[in-house]
Amino acid sequence: MKAVFGLLLLPVRAPMLLVLLLVSGYMGLHWAEVAPLMLNRAETPLQLELAGPLFWPLQCLQALVVVLFCAMPDLLLRELSQLMAASKALTLVVTLLIVITGGLYLLHLAVLAEVLVLASSVLLARLDLSRLRVAPAPWMGAIGLSVWVLLGISLGALVHERLVPALV
């Protein structure tokens, strides 16, 4: 019982978790605002698919990848280093893949801003948790922060759903 109570008080003891919740809530609010606009501007079938039923899953997947990368950087980078140390050819392939993927991703600068804000918030939340000496296993921390971010995104979308029709 004490552990559950301590877990419920964690956002109060680590205020950066509340900042992370607010940032992800803002992202959900923003995505709920942008989704219909993108659907109206879509011209090709691929754009209709990406702006329609795939918009929310792709945005949430992007957020989860950012959280995963920021929640377990030591583990992921160690595995990537071991993979690249296997051979020079594999090093070139992995580097090329990272550069091409990163370059294509950076072409969408509006997305980059969201990613940077979310990544900064996740890293600040991890720093706050480490200050409290709360250090779960890497996978548990990543899952916990992912659930926290998805909760914030859902709350932002819910606020948009409830608030915007009332204001219009």
Side-chain angles (χ1 to χ4, degrees), residues 28 32 34 50-51 63 66 79 105 122-123 132 140 142 154-157 166:
V34 168
L50 291 176
V66 170
E79 293 297 323
Y105 195 73
V122 170
L123 291 172
L132 293 174
M140 291 304 295
S154 300
L155 287 174

Side-chain angles (χ1 to χ4, degrees), residues 131-154:
R131 178 186 58 85
L132 293 174
R133 290 180 172 71
V134 176
W139 282 106
M140 291 304 295
I143 290 170
L145 287 173
S146 296
V147 168
W148 191 249
V149 167
L150 289 176
L151 175 71
I153 290 170
S154 300

Side-chain angles (χ1 to χ4, degrees), residues 33-105:
E33 186 75 26
V34 168
L37 298 173
M38 287 185 64
L39 194 57
N40 289 339
R41 281 199 228 158
E43 297 171 357
T44 65
L46 179 63
Q47 288 176 341
L48 280 172
E49 188 72 22
L50 291 176
L54 291 179
F55 180 76
W56 278 96
L58 288 175
Q59 294 296 331
C60 289
L61 179 66
Q62 168 190 300
L64 289 177
V65 167
V66 170
V67 170
L68 182 71
F69 188 75
C70 291
M72 305 185 326
D74 50 346
L75 185 65
L76 291 175
L77 292 177
R78 183 178 39 215
E79 293 297 323
L80 184 63
S81 295
Q82 288 176 353
L83 177 70
M84 290 176 69
S87 74
K88 288 189 184 237
L90 199 53
T91 300
L92 289 173
V93 169
V94 169
T95 305
L96 186 62
L97 181 66
I98 290 171
V99 168
I100 290 173
T101 307
L104 289 174
Y105 195 73

Side-chain angles (χ1 to χ4, degrees), residues 98-130:
I98 290 171
V99 168
I100 290 173
T101 307
L104 289 174
Y105 195 73
L106 290 177
L107 287 175
H108 303 285
L109 291 179
V111 174
L112 178 64
E114 287 181 1
V115 167
L116 288 176
V117 170
L118 181 62
S120 300
S121 300
V122 170
L123 291 172
L124 284 172
R126 282 192 64 225
L127 184 64
D128 214 9
L129 289 173
S130 67

